Amino acid sequence: MPKTETPAEKLERKSRQETGRAPAGSPKDRAGAKRPQDHHKPAPKPDKDGMLNVTVDDVTVTVDTNGMRDWRFVEASGAVEAGAAGAAEIFQVVALVIPDRADRARIADHVKDETGFVDVQRFFEFYQQIVQEAGAKNS
C-alpha cells in the first residue's frame, strides 16, 4: 500500500524539486549543510609543556593548562565559587594557571581604576575570562 503524503510533505517535495535541493534529512542534504563548527578556525593547542597564550581585551598572558587540572586548582576554585575562599586561595588559583608574575601584573594594570586601585573582584573576573578562553581553546 503506497504511503499517502500529507499536504506539508507534498509542498516540501515540490519545493525541493523546484530548487534542486536534496530531501531534508537525506545523506546528501546533511553532507552539504553548513554547521556552525564549519566556520570556526581550529583552536590553538597548548605546547608540549601545557602552556598556551591567551588574549582577552588585548591582554596576552601565558596560561599553564596543566594548572587547570591540578587538584589544588579544583579545590581552591570550589572554595572561591562557594564564597569560602580568602585571598590566599584566590592567589593560589591564579598562580597555578598564570605562573608568570609579569603576566599577572599586566592583568592588574589592565583592571586598575583611574586611581590605580586594583579591585580583587575585577581582577578575578578578568582572570575567569582568561580561564574560560583557555578552556575553550584547550578542548
Side-chain angles (χ1 to χ4, degrees):
M1 178 171 187
K3 180 185 171 210
T4 326
E5 277 185 320
T6 65
E9 290 171 334
K10 192 175 203 178
L11 183 62
E12 174 71 14
R13 182 179 47 80
K14 284 185 178 183
S15 172
R16 290 198 176 272
Q17 286 173 343
E18 290 170 5
T19 61
R21 294 181 306 173
S26 72
K28 285 184 180 179
D29 182 53
R30 287 191 300 268
K34 294 287 184 190
R35 295 173 181 86
Q37 63 269 27
D38 294 340
H39 301 288
H40 296 288
K41 292 187 292 186
K45 297 289 183 191
D47 67 15
K48 64 181 175 73
D49 296 325
M51 305 306 272
L52 176 69
N53 289 329
V54 175
T55 302
V56 174
D57 291 345
D58 294 327
V59 177
T60 301
V61 297
T62 302
V63 171
D64 183 353
T65 60
N66 294 322
M68 293 167 49
R69 294 190 326 261
D70 189 291
W71 171 253
R72 295 167 295 181
F73 170 79
V74 174
E75 184 177 46
S77 293
V80 168
E81 287 182 19
E89 286 89 355
I90 292 172
F91 180 76
Q92 181 183 19
V93 168
V94 173
L96 279 169
V97 177
I98 305 172
D100 187 351
R101 285 180 184 255
D103 285 344
R104 295 192 304 263
R106 264 195 306 288
I107 295 170
D109 190 51
H110 179 72
V111 300
K112 71 183 176 184
D113 66 15
E114 59 279 348
T115 66
F117 178 75
V118 179
D119 185 319
V120 173
Q121 182 70 30
R122 286 183 64 199
F123 183 96
F124 198 70
E125 286 170 359
F126 190 81
Y127 158 82
Q128 287 175 316
Q129 290 177 357
I130 290 170
V131 169
Q132 183 177 12
E133 183 71 14
K137 288 183 177 181
N138 196 26
S139 56

